[in-house]
């Protein structure tokens, strides 16, 4: 039932379509950018990616994109790649706490690869960040993190599956 709810909700959201509002130059830029997604580094077009982002948010409460820069100008973003939410987390210290900067924002994220992988860190993590051998540090400017619902500090999102599961578990316990 939950699976069907998530699929139908994603389909309804996508069927509604979307429009961008802004000045003509900005709208043109973003429509062109979205049309090019998947052609310069990623493997999904914008509509496939958007559908999957909604699904990830509903299931996991979070969705993630990697920002793919131009080969020639690293400050220019040319594509997006979707990342499996099960592999992503905030960069944490040796006690398992999220490492924050002076403005109380996360210093970065980690992507966990399969256990038999060993990662050569392309970007040196900040000194307090502890990584396992199969984790890769990613700075915040290379990631887009979407959350569906948040509670408390708002670092982690809550999807639709967890609350339904908790209610079903309580009902079973009461029975």
């Amino acid at each position: 039932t939950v699976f069907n709810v998530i699929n139908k909700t994603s389909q309804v959201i996508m069927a509604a379509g979307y429009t961008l509002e802004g000045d003509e130059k900005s709208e043109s830029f973003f429509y062109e950018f979205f049309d090019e997604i998947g052609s310069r580094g990623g493997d999904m077009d914008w509509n496939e990616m958007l559908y999957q982002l909604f699904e990830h948010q509903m299931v996991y409460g979070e969705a993630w994109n990697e920002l793919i820069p131009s080969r020639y100008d690293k400050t220019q973003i040319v594509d997006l790649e979707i990342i499996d939410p099960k592999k992503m987390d905030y960069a944490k210290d040796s006690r398992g706490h999220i490492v924050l900067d002076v403005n109380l924002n996360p210093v970065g994220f980690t992507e966990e690869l399969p256990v038999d992988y060993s990662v050569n860190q392309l970007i040196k993590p900040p000194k307090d960040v502890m990584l396992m051998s199969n984790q890769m540090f990613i700075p915040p400017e290379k990631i887009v993190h979407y959350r569906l619902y948040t509670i408390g500090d708002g670092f982690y999102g809550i999807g639709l599956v967890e609350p339904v599961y908790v209610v079903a578990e309580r009902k079973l316990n009461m029975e």
Side-chain angles (χ1 to χ4, degrees):
T1 301
V2 174
F3 176 81
N4 288 335
V5 165
I6 287 169
N7 284 331
K8 282 296 171 199
T9 304
S10 296
Q11 290 168 4
V12 168
I13 291 170
M14 290 300 291
Y18 63 90
T19 58
L20 298 174
E21 293 184 17
D23 63 62
E24 190 175 320
K25 184 178 176 184
S26 295
E27 286 180 24
S28 174
F29 171 83
F30 281 104
Y31 279 121
E32 187 176 313
F33 178 79
F34 292 149
D35 284 343
E36 292 294 318
I37 286 180
S39 66
R40 298 185 193 158
D43 57 359
M44 259 184 211
D45 70 31
W46 174 241
N47 286 328
E48 290 174 295
M49 185 177 294
L50 193 57
Y51 185 88
Q52 198 164 17
L53 289 170
F54 289 131
E55 282 185 326
H56 284 174
Q57 285 179 297
M58 286 185 267
V59 173
Y60 303 105
E62 304 176 298
W64 303 79
N65 277 133
E66 177 185 359
L67 301 172
I68 299 175
S70 165
R71 290 183 195 174
Y72 311 107
D73 178 2
K74 298 295 182 191
T75 63
Q76 182 183 8
I77 304 304
V78 296
D79 210 340
L80 300 174
E81 182 67 72
I82 199 155
I83 306 174
D84 183 352
K86 295 184 299 289
K87 298 174 10 178
M88 294 299 293
D89 200 356
Y90 292 97
K92 296 182 177 179
D93 63 18
S94 60
R95 297 173 298 161
H97 298 137
I98 298 170
V99 179
L100 304 174
D101 64 16
V102 295
N103 297 317
L104 302 179
N105 293 315
V107 297
F109 305 98
T110 58
E111 182 175 359
E112 190 168 325
L113 302 173
V115 178
D116 54 342
Y117 280 65
S118 184
V119 178
N120 253 347
Q121 295 298 325
L122 300 175
I123 299 168
K124 189 173 176 7
K127 67 176 177 122
D128 293 337
V129 173
M130 296 296 294
L131 298 172
M132 295 188 301
S133 63
N134 65 327
Q135 285 183 322
M136 178 172 47
F137 175 78
I138 306 172
E141 61 272 6
K142 296 189 176 288
I143 293 290
V144 180
H145 182 207
Y146 314 90
R147 294 171 291 249
L148 185 60
Y149 299 111
T150 58
I151 293 177
D153 60 21
F155 286 114
Y156 292 100
I158 298 172
L160 303 178
V161 176
E162 184 179 352
V164 169
Y165 177 79
V166 169
V167 168
E169 191 174 48
R170 284 184 187 152
K171 183 177 185 278
L172 281 172
N173 286 338
M174 288 189 315
E175 288 175 357

